[in-house]
Amino acid sequence: MLRTAALRTRIGAARTIGRRNASTNIAVQNLETRWKTLSTAEQNTIAKQLEEAQKGDWKALSLDEKKAAYYIAFGAHGPREPLTKPGHGMKVLAGVTGVLVASGALFYAIRQNGQETPQTLTKEWKEATNEYLKSQNSNPITGISSEGYKGTGYVTKY
C-alpha cells in the first residue's frame, strides 16, 4: 500500500513536470519576492521543476521561468544574500561619529580635571634644557649645537 502511494506520487509529479500548464507558471511568477516565504520543500520542488524544464528547449521556456531559473542559480538568497542592508553605511557613520565625540569629550574632561602641568613643561625649563644641550655640544652636525642653528630647540608654544 505504501509502495503504490509512493509510485502514484512519482507518476503524478512526472505528469506535472511533463506538461507545462498554468500552475507551473503561477509557481514561478514573482519568485524573487516570494522565495524567502516559501518552505524548503516548496523551494526544492520549484527548483527541480525548473531544472527539468531547462533540459528541454529553452525557447519553450516562458520569461517568468527564465527569470526564476536565473534567480535560483544566481539570486541574492542563502549564502549570496548581502551582509548589509540599505542604510547600514549611515549607521556605521553615526556610530563612528558618536564614538569620536564621546572620546573627545572624555579627553577634554580629563584634561580639565587633571593636575597642573609638570615643571618640565614650563618655558624656563625648556630654555634651560637648550642651554645645557649647547654646553654639552649635543648633536653638533644638524642639531642645537651646530653652527647657524635657527630652530627653537626644546622650546615650543605649549
Side-chain angles (χ1 to χ4, degrees):
M1 179 156 109
L2 201 55
R3 211 180 268 171
T4 56
L7 184 60
R8 271 190 249 142
T9 308
R10 277 194 223 141
I11 293 170
R15 282 187 197 149
T16 306
I17 292 170
R19 70 187 144 125
R20 296 171 16 127
N21 56 14
S23 65
T24 308
N25 282 341
I26 291 173
V28 296
Q29 286 179 347
N30 275 340
L31 187 67
E32 297 88 7
T33 57
R34 296 183 304 118
W35 186 257
K36 290 181 183 176
T37 61
L38 295 175
S39 68
T40 307
E42 290 173 324
Q43 289 176 355
N44 290 337
T45 303
I46 291 173
K48 287 179 183 176
Q49 285 177 353
L50 285 171
E51 188 177 326
E52 289 297 319
Q54 290 177 50
K55 289 180 182 177
D57 186 16
W58 275 56
K59 293 177 184 173
L61 292 176
S62 70
L63 184 61
D64 285 334
E65 287 173 325
K66 290 177 185 176
K67 285 181 180 179
Y70 182 84
Y71 180 76
I72 289 172
F74 305 109
H77 59 84
R80 291 180 299 273
E81 190 169 1
L83 297 176
T84 58
K85 305 288 184 224
H88 179 73
M90 289 305 294
K91 287 181 184 178
V92 170
L93 180 65
V96 168
T97 303
V99 167
L100 289 174
V101 167
S103 63
L106 181 64
F107 176 76
Y108 180 75
I110 289 172
R111 293 290 288 173
Q112 289 300 318
N113 296 327
Q115 299 173 356
E116 56 184 71
T117 58
Q119 70 179 19
T120 57
L121 293 179
T122 62
K123 187 171 183 176
E124 294 80 21
W125 188 280
K126 291 177 184 179
E127 289 171 352
T129 302
N130 281 347
E131 293 304 319
Y132 176 75
L133 290 174
K134 286 178 186 175
S135 71
Q136 295 294 319
N137 200 19
S138 177
N139 198 357
I141 298 173
T142 59
I144 198 165
S145 298
S146 64
E147 278 188 37
Y149 180 73
K150 295 180 180 157
T152 59
Y154 281 87
V155 179
T156 59
K157 290 182 180 181
Y158 304 106

